[in-house]
């Protein structure tokens, strides 16, 4: 009896050792490499589309959000909305402008690499403005150029955002008008709650403008200023933006060039103080192979009751 029990114990012991050895061999042969968790993979995937800017803040560089100027906070990409940014009037009141005499040049340098966008504001005492605005990035490299003409620099000031990614940049403002036409210029960094985020929060759609095509946007008399965003999918951007009142009566003209419309999109606020009849016209001056994406929406709105009492046919004006 004892002998049989001992034999059974020996058999069970040998079987257990054999099974353990087989399991170890299987684990040794078929053990997969260490797999990353879904969270780690998602973070790695997201990091390829976002660049850390500050702690818990990212710069969105995909096409739908408008390039590096538009920022988003938190772990997910989402456009900024309801941003309380300083108005153009508040910026002029809180900043000492620099007077640029006719025929002269003034420059502003930003050595801090965290400054990825700057605000450029121009105005005059009611005289015309004719100026060149350039972005200098390194020697003999001008990735962004603008030619600005405004009929009345007091009634319609110029407000735009220039993207300044990748290192130190300089902004050059040249007054190409006569000596009798000075202008006031303000150039300062655009922070998180700046004009770019405020402009991006009001646009709701974009339209494709093929090379050589023209698109117009009429707007209601109550609209006092219009937000304009122009970008590409990474190709060069060449465009002409006009504010019209009447047949071919240009109140404001901006001729724009950007070597990369994704990294350096065009953000602007076009003031439209006219009571009626104003139109934004955008022309893609590039060849057919270089389309652009334009967004135009109302930025500030005046008193509805005043305009409604003044114009009986108010409903014929679209609200962008």
């Amino acid at each position: 009896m004892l002998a049989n029990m001992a034999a059974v114990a020996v058999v069970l012991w040998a079987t257990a050792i054999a099974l353990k050895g087989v399991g170890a061999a299987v684990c040794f042969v078929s053990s997969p490499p260490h797999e990353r968790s879904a969270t780690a993979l998602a973070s790695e995937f997201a990091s390829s589309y976002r660049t850390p800017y500050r702690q818990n803040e990212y710069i969105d560089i995909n096409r739908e959000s408008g390039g590096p100027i538009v920022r988003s906070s938190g772990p997910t990409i989402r456009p900024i909305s309801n941003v309380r940014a300083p108005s153009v009037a508040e910026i002029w009141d809180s900043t000492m402008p620099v007077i640029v005499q006719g025929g002269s040049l003034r420059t502003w340098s930003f050595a801090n690499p965290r400054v990825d966008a700057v605000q450029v504001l121009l105005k005059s005492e009611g005289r015309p403005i004719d100026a060149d605005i350039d972005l200098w990035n390194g020697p003999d490299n001008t990735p962004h150029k603008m030619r600005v003409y405004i009929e009345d620099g007091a009634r319609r000031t110029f407000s735009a955002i220039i993207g300044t990614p990748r290192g130190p940049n300089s902004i050059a403002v040249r007054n190409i008008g006569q000596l009798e036409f000075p202008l006031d210029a303000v150039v300062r960094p655009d922070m998180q709650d700046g004009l770019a985020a405020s402009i991006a929060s009001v646009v709701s759609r974009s339209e494709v403008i093929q090379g050589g095509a023209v698109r117009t946007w009429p707007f209601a008399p109550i609209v006092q200023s219009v937000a304009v965003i122009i970008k590409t999918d990474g190709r060069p951007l060449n465009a002409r933006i006009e504010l019209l009142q009447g047949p071919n009566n240009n109140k404001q003209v901006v001729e724009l060039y950007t070597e990369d419309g994704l990294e350096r999109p065009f953000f602007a606020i076009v003031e439209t103080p006219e009571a009626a009849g104003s139109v934004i016209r955008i022309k893609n001056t590039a060849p057919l192979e270089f389309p652009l994406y334009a967004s135009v929406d109302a930025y500030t709105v005046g008193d509805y009751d005043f305009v409604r009492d003044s114009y009986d046919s108010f409903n014929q004006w679209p609200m962008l």
Side-chain angles (χ1 to χ4, degrees), residues 105-112 115 118-120 132-139 141-145 162-173 187-188 264:
L105 170 70
R106 294 299 301 267
T107 61
W108 292 257
S109 297
F110 300 91
N112 189 347
V115 177
V118 296
Q119 304 170 2
V120 179
D132 284 335
I133 303 173
D134 296 339
L135 170 65
W136 296 343
N137 188 316
N141 182 25
T142 308
H144 191 117
K145 296 180 180 180
I162 297 179
T164 58
R166 294 194 305 274
N169 295 269
S170 296
I171 300 294
V173 176
V187 180
R188 68 176 199 170
R264 297 180 177 89

Side-chain angles (χ1 to χ4, degrees), residues 22-97:
V22 171
V26 170
C27 293
F28 178 78
V29 172
S30 61
S31 177
H34 177 67
E35 294 183 357
R36 290 167 292 178
S37 64
T39 304
L41 292 175
S43 300
E44 181 179 350
F45 179 79
S47 65
S48 64
Y49 290 89
R50 294 179 291 167
T51 302
Y53 179 72
R54 294 192 186 95
Q55 186 177 4
N56 299 325
E57 182 179 344
Y58 292 88
I59 302 174
D60 188 0
I61 61 174
N62 58 26
R63 188 185 72 185
E64 288 75 11
S65 296
I69 294 180
V70 184
R71 304 177 181 87
S72 60
S73 301
T76 59
I77 298 295
R78 59 185 182 276
I80 297 177
S81 61
N82 299 324
V83 177
R84 176 60 181 95
S87 65
V88 175
E90 292 173 348
I91 294 176
W92 282 110
D93 293 338
S94 61
T95 308
M96 180 65 68

